[in-house]
């Protein structure tokens, strides 16, 4: 009889500095989605964890029983109602599938609830209670997981992404499936050890397209995975824009029945991160300097100005105005901005119609952390329903949506092309321009509201990437955040923090 594995989950990354909670409706809006039953299996081949999970199950002749998989664009804390509704759906699906040989969960790892700092821990605990102690539970984890004690207590094995941008979601899903199958077939006894460091790091220091400190540790994790008896080795950068006690850097190693070996390697990886703790600091460039450098560039060059502090992929609203204001003050030419979320401005542009000239106050409306609204006058060049395909290398085969989207042309055809959107989003694909009539390789300045995911598609076309120092709730300047629930002392907020991974 075929091995029966049940799967489902809830995936959301929570920025607790985002005041707006994530509701059930948010799981069904824009680029978010709730996949049920066959819709999960239909993710086979896409650039998602299920792209790998489903493919590996098929390859190995496993019966994969889908329940519900809900994922939401990063944002504020998930409401209790949304969590309980989705959790119940998943549990009902699992109950209907019993008996099963294993559970593969589709989670993110940094979800927080409106009244609880840990979202994944309670979900895993509920699944464990339902299936009992002897059915293995395995999950892939996002590199930005904030690892809680409850997560470790409830699962048999975790394996994290090794790339940021996350271009390895399918292979990590497949890796998790292989560990689960080895456990079910009695070929391995997954045994986990983890180390949580007193270290919090900005997202931008976790990028793996350059030799970041996190990449140095991940390179060693790859070597460790080649050692006999090791099933997975993971370095989690954590998600720093979450004021939860267990946020920050952690390591997890899974071995075949050897807790001492797991502990030894998890400790070694933690030691690498701790020794490099000073290198996790990011020094963004003043906005005016970045714009001046770009405008002085060679003809044909493309400068990416990364508005890393206002990244929709890190749960910000994406309506920060500091870089747009800088472009206007510098009278920048050949600049394209993706994007500013402003439903009011979008509605006004639609009302005016294509070809109309409008004067609007845009952005800076969602909260007090992303600058004041900016007045702009421009021509409405395009109105788009907002949904478009993602080509890759990250998320290929999926669709993105930022709601109704307008391109506003400011200062004539070679001036500033500003995309105004109804919903949040993060430009991680060239189609964030091309589907809106803007050829990114032909613009001097591309302003991207993205912490790092933009790098997968845009580094290959960029003459230079400059991370700019704008205000926002995904800023690498962690000292600007008002942490109240985070454990202390923690480096670098408490510079005198001392620690040894052997403690
Ligand atoms: Zn991530």
């Amino acid at each position: 009889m075929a091995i029966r594995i049940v799967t489902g989950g809830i995936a959301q990354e929570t920025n607790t500095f985002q005041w707006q909670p994530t509701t059930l409706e948010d799981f069904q809006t824009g680029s978010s989605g709730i996949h049920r039953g066959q819709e999960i299996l239909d993710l086979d081949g896409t650039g998602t964890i299920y792209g790998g999970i489903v493919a590996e199950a098929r390859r190995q002749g496993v019966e994969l029983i889908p329940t519900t998989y809900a994922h939401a664009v990063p944002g504020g804390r998930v409401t209790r109602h949304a969590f309980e509704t989705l959790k119940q759906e998943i549990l009902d699906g699992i109950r209907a599938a019993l008996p099963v040989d294993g559970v593969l969960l589709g989670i993110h790892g940094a979800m927080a609830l409106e009244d609880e700092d840990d979202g994944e821990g309670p979900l895993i605990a509920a699944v464990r209670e339902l299936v009992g102690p002897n059915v293995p539970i395995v999950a892939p984890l996002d590199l930005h997981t904030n690892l809680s004690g409850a997560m470790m207590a409830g699962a048999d094995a975790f394996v994290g992404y090794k790339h940021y941008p996350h271009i390895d979601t399918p292979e990590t899903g497949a890796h998790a499936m292989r560990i689960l199958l080895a456990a079910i077939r009695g070929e391995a006894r997954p045994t986990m050890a983890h180390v949580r460091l007193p270290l919090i790091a900005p997202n931008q220091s976790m990028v793996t397209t350059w030799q970041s400190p996190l990449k140095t540790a991940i390179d060693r994790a790859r070597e460790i995975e080649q050692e006999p008896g090791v099933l997975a080795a993971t370095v989690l950068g954590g998600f720093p824009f979450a004021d939860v006690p267990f946020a920050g850097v952690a390591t997890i190693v899974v071995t075949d029945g050897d807790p001492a070996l797991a502990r030894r390697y998890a400790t070694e990886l933690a030691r690498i991160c701790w020794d490099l703790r000073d290198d996790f600091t990011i020094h963004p460039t003043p906005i005016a300097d970045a714009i001046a450098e770009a405008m002085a560039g060679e003809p044909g060059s493309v400068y990416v100005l990364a508005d890393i502090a206002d990244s929709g992929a890190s749960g910000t609203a994406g309506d920060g105005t500091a870089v747009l204001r800088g472009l206007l003050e510098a009278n920048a030419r050949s600049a394209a901005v993706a994007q500013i979320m402003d439903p009011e401005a979008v509605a006004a542009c639609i009302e005016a119609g294509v070809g109309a000239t409008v004067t609007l106050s845009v952005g800076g409306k969602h909260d007090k952390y992303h600058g004041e609204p900016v007045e702009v006058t421009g021509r409405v060049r395009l109105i788009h329903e907002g949904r478009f395909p993602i080509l890759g290398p990250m998320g290929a085969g999926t669709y993105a949506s930022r709601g109704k989207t307008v391109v506003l042309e400011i200062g004539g055809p070679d001036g500033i092309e500003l995309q105004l959107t109804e919903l949040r989003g993060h430009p991680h694909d060239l189609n964030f321009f091309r589907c809106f009539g803007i050829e990114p390789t032909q613009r001097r300045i591309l302003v991207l509201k993205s912490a790092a995911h933009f790098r997968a598609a845009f580094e290959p076309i960029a003459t230079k990437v400059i991370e700019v120092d704008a205000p926002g709730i995904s800023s690498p300047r962690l000292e600007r955040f008002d942490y109240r629930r985070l454990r202390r002392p923690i480096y670098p907020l408490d510079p005198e923090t001392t620690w040894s991974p052997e403690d």
Side-chain angles (χ1 to χ4, degrees):
M1 207 171 99
I3 289 173
R4 289 163 52 80
I5 292 174
V6 69
T7 191
I10 311 172
Q12 194 260 8
E13 183 180 70
T14 301
N15 185 323
T16 66
F17 299 96
Q18 167 63 263
W19 64 265
Q20 190 172 38
T22 298
T23 64
L24 192 58
E25 195 189 340
D26 292 323
F27 276 91
Q28 304 167 88
T29 306
S31 299
S32 306
I34 302 179
H35 302 268
R36 295 183 170 97
Q38 181 64 34
E39 292 165 352
I40 296 178
L41 304 182
D42 290 344
L43 292 171
D44 188 8
T46 60
T48 66
I49 50 169
Y50 277 102
I53 291 167
V54 178
E56 189 66 19
R58 290 208 166 123
R59 202 175 68 78
Q60 302 233 18
V62 170
E63 186 187 348
L64 186 63
I65 305 156
T67 61
T68 296
Y69 170 60
H71 62 92
V73 170
R77 287 174 178 264
V78 174
T79 63
R80 175 59 63 180
H81 171 254
F83 176 74
E84 292 298 334
T85 304
L86 294 167
K87 184 185 84 175
Q88 209 48 56
E89 234 186 86
I90 294 161
L91 294 177
D92 288 348
I94 295 174
R95 195 177 291 111
L98 293 176
V100 295
D101 299 300
V103 181
L104 204 143
L105 287 179
I107 55 177
H108 176 282
M111 175 169 64
L113 310 180
E114 63 182 341
D115 53 0
E116 191 164 356
D117 289 326
D118 182 11
E120 284 83 0
L123 176 65
I124 294 169
V127 173
R128 172 60 72 204
E129 195 185 324
L130 182 58
V131 301
N134 300 321
V135 172
I137 299 174
V138 178
L141 290 180
D142 192 279
L143 178 143
H144 298 105
T145 290
N146 286 326
L147 188 64
S148 71
M151 288 172 67
M152 286 301 296
D156 292 273
F158 290 122
V159 53
Y161 305 159
K162 291 184 173 62
H163 284 274
Y164 183 35
H166 304 327
I167 54 173
D168 61 335
T169 47
E171 67 186 80
T172 310
H175 189 168
M177 179 58 93
R178 286 195 296 275
I179 294 171
L180 180 59
L181 280 170
I184 291 169
R185 290 171 177 149
E187 297 161 1
R189 288 173 299 140
T191 305
M192 275 201 292
H194 77 288
V195 176
R196 193 184 303 128
L197 291 79
L199 174 63
I200 191 162
N203 267 17
Q204 297 81 8
S205 69
M206 305 170 195
V207 168
T208 54
T209 63
W210 56 280
Q211 197 62 37
S212 68
L214 203 75
K215 181 172 187 299
T216 300
I218 289 172
D219 287 347
R220 177 59 187 142
R222 287 182 194 280
E223 291 175 0
I224 288 171
E225 282 186 344
Q226 302 306 312
E227 297 294 330
V230 177
L231 302 176
T234 294
V235 184
L236 302 170
F239 189 63
F241 315 118
D243 187 15
V244 300
F246 44 85
V249 181
T251 65
I252 308 172
V253 172
V254 188
T255 63
D256 178 9
D258 190 339
L261 188 68
R263 162 81 25 209
R264 195 175 90 213
Y265 282 136
T267 301
E268 183 192 332
L269 293 171
R271 163 64 70 192
I272 293 170
C273 294
W274 185 247
D275 287 348
L276 293 172
R277 61 191 177 281
D278 287 334
D279 297 346
F280 281 93
T281 308
I282 293 291
H283 303 281
T285 303
I287 293 167
D289 294 358
I291 293 171
E293 181 179 345
M295 286 170 67
E298 295 285 318
S301 52
V302 178
Y303 283 75
V304 167
L305 270 47
D307 190 356
I308 54 179
D310 188 19
S311 171
S314 296
T316 77
D319 79 338
T321 53
V323 184
L324 174 62
R325 191 181 294 278
L327 293 173
L328 293 166
E329 284 170 1
N331 194 23
R333 311 297 299 166
S334 187
V337 181
Q339 67 277 328
I340 286 183
M341 183 201 75
D342 191 331
E344 282 173 34
V346 169
C349 290
I350 292 172
E351 171 86 24
V354 170
T357 296
V358 293
T359 297
L360 303 162
S361 164
V362 301
K365 297 170 187 169
H366 182 78
D367 59 30
K368 62 182 183 188
Y369 301 118
H370 299 84
E372 296 292 314
V374 174
E375 190 175 281
V376 295
T377 297
R379 192 176 73 89
V380 178
R381 199 177 71 200
L382 175 134
I383 297 170
H384 193 288
E385 64 162 350
R387 184 176 146 87
F388 55 100
I390 296 301
L391 298 178
M394 192 183 140
T398 63
Y399 279 77
S401 175
R402 297 173 295 175
K404 292 194 183 74
T405 299
V406 167
V407 175
L408 193 68
E409 198 176 86
I410 302 166
D414 190 41
I416 300 167
E417 292 157 303
L418 172 63
Q419 295 185 36
L420 296 168
T421 67
E422 261 186 333
L423 303 174
R424 298 204 306 268
H426 62 104
H428 64 282
D429 195 89
L430 299 182
N431 270 358
F432 277 76
F433 289 102
R434 287 190 176 145
C435 286
F436 302 88
I438 300 168
E439 176 47 49
T441 60
Q442 303 295 317
R443 296 296 182 274
R444 174 62 60 88
I445 297 174
L446 302 175
V447 177
L448 304 178
K449 286 185 179 292
S450 175
H453 284 319
F454 72 89
R455 290 177 180 273
F458 288 92
E459 274 186 356
I461 68 157
T463 310
K464 187 175 180 183
V465 170
I466 306 177
E467 295 176 315
V468 300
D469 189 12
I473 57 170
S474 63
S475 169
R477 296 187 179 274
L478 301 183
E479 73 280 3
R480 291 178 182 168
F481 290 79
D482 182 21
Y483 293 102
R484 288 157 188 255
R485 303 182 58 74
L486 183 64
R487 70 193 176 285
R488 306 298 283 261
I490 195 163
Y491 195 84
L493 303 177
D494 304 303
E496 305 305 318
T497 306
T498 56
W499 182 73
S500 162
E502 286 78 23
D503 287 351

